[in-house]
Amino acid sequence: MKTKLSVSLVIAATSALALMAQNAGTPPGPPPPAQVAAHRLTHLTTLLSLTSAQQSSATSIFSAEETTLQTIHTSMTTARQALHTAVQANDTNGIASAATQIGSLTTQEVQARATADAAFYALLTADQKSKFDELHPPHPGGGPAPGPLGPPGPPPAPPDQN
């Protein structure tokens, strides 16, 4: 009996290690837009006591926003890699082109976030807006504070190619 239990434990441990090793080399991708939107909606529903109609509208708003942002982030990764390559090659035209593209994509990101934030904010009642504003005051830079309606912070730097 003890031998069977020991063998079972060894097999279970070996299987677990094999599974962890398979996942160790592959970084996780971004969650699907619907999952991000659902998480955000859950937080805001708890915070603001959203009605089912508000939740339905917010789901559409946040899902569309996340889909747009994932496309922008994919393009941003490509542009950052192009910038990195241009820097290594001392290619001033490539640097200028990549910098322009990064600036344009940043503008698109801010616009997508702000448009979704405005559409969501328009769904709120006066009491919900008051509570939201109290809990999420603007930060000193003038825009919304990082959080459910603010920017997530700087994106990661491109990987070092050395």
Side-chain angles (χ1 to χ4, degrees), residues 8 85 95 129:
S8 296
T85 300
I95 291 170
K129 287 177 182 179

Short mmCIF file of all heavy atoms in Angstrom, two decimals, residues 8 85 95 129:
data_model
loop_
_atom_site.label_atom_id
_atom_site.label_comp_id
_atom_site.label_asym_id
_atom_site.label_seq_id
_atom_site.Cartn_x
_atom_site.Cartn_y
_atom_site.Cartn_z
N SER A 8 2.67 6.69 -6.72
CA SER A 8 1.69 7.68 -7.18
C SER A 8 2.18 9.10 -6.93
O SER A 8 2.02 9.98 -7.78
CB SER A 8 0.35 7.46 -6.47
OG SER A 8 -0.19 6.22 -6.81
N THR A 85 16.10 48.48 -33.67
CA THR A 85 16.94 48.09 -34.80
C THR A 85 17.59 49.33 -35.44
O THR A 85 18.78 49.31 -35.78
CB THR A 85 16.10 47.33 -35.85
OG1 THR A 85 15.56 46.17 -35.21
CG2 THR A 85 16.93 46.92 -37.04
N ILE A 95 15.05 55.86 -37.23
CA ILE A 95 14.71 56.35 -35.89
C ILE A 95 13.55 57.33 -35.98
O ILE A 95 12.57 57.24 -35.23
CB ILE A 95 15.94 56.99 -35.21
CG1 ILE A 95 16.98 55.92 -34.87
CG2 ILE A 95 15.53 57.77 -33.96
CD1 ILE A 95 18.32 56.47 -34.43
N LYS A 129 -21.64 59.21 -10.80
CA LYS A 129 -20.57 60.10 -11.25
C LYS A 129 -19.88 60.74 -10.05
O LYS A 129 -18.65 60.83 -10.00
CB LYS A 129 -21.10 61.18 -12.18
CG LYS A 129 -21.47 60.67 -13.56
CD LYS A 129 -22.06 61.78 -14.42
CE LYS A 129 -22.45 61.24 -15.79
NZ LYS A 129 -23.05 62.25 -16.65
#
